[in-house]
Amino acid sequence: GSFSRTFEKGAYVFKEGDPVDAFFVITSGACEVRVAGPDGKERLIATLGAGDFFGETGLLEGRSVRAASVFATAPLEVLAIDRKVFNEVASVHNSSALSTSMRERAEARQRARLLKVFENMSVSLSQRRRFGKGAVVYQQGSPAQLFYIVNEGELEMSVNKPDGGSVRVKTLRPGD
């Protein structure tokens, strides 16, 4: 179901490592999304206010624990929507405008948050890779050794079928 919750300024809605159990829509107040850096200090990823939402990533990705912390920077009121209701609304099998919009906004926000994390990291030019049209960046079944983010251009993501054919899954764009 869904229910309203309030948090005092300075309180955590949840912390990194807490169970993923709900999605939250801010009805009033403000909060920050933070992740632990390599030094253990929390780093600011996003500042959110009334009308914004958070907590969708863990649910959409099927994770069991939170990958970020959310901290109230002012008295905060949220509408919490539990996993069951969220999954019904956001299901890829639900083609409603609300479901489609929610998935698209969640993906765009996740890309923006990820880019914010990497802004804080120094990525040297020697770590960047350029691939020409038609090049295979990663082959299904190969060991995963690197983490890729599309900086410019587009990538077609596909998976191999047992019969040897492939199925296009998604087009990846900058930020993905």
Side-chain angles (χ1 to χ4, degrees), residues 1-2 23 25 53 56 59-60 79-104 106:
S2 63
F23 162 75
V25 178
F53 58 87
E56 76 286 352
L59 293 169
L60 288 169
L79 175 64
I81 301 168
D82 71 21
R83 180 186 295 271
K84 181 177 185 264
V85 172
F86 177 84
N87 286 340
E88 288 172 8
V89 173
S91 167
V92 293
H93 304 294
N94 182 343
S95 60
S96 73
L98 174 62
S99 177
T100 301
S101 173
M102 183 182 291
R103 282 193 310 275
E104 287 172 355

Side-chain angles (χ1 to χ4, degrees), residues 46 50 100 109 119 128 150 171:
T100 301
R109 284 170 38 106
E119 280 176 13
R128 295 180 185 219
V150 178
T171 299

Side-chain angles (χ1 to χ4, degrees), residues 2 14 19-20 23 32 34 46 54 81 89 106 139 161:
S2 63
F14 54 75
V20 174
F23 162 75
E32 293 178 348
R34 303 172 177 180
F54 59 91
I81 301 168
V89 173
Q139 180 93 24
K161 298 189 309 184

Side-chain angles (χ1 to χ4, degrees), residues 27-64:
T27 54
S28 68
C31 61
E32 293 178 348
V33 179
R34 303 172 177 180
V35 296
D39 57 2
K41 294 175 104 177
E42 287 188 333
R43 303 213 189 291
L44 178 66
I45 299 302
T47 301
L48 307 174
D52 286 325
F53 58 87
F54 59 91
E56 76 286 352
T57 305
L59 293 169
L60 288 169
E61 294 176 357
R63 283 193 265 115
S64 60

Side-chain angles (χ1 to χ4, degrees), residues 5-13 26 28-32 34 47-50 70-78:
R5 291 191 58 195
T6 58
F7 299 89
E8 296 298 320
K9 178 181 179 178
Y12 281 89
V13 177
I26 301 170
S28 68
C31 61
E32 293 178 348
R34 303 172 177 180
T47 301
L48 307 174
V70 175
F71 178 82
T73 56
L76 180 68
E77 183 175 335
V78 298

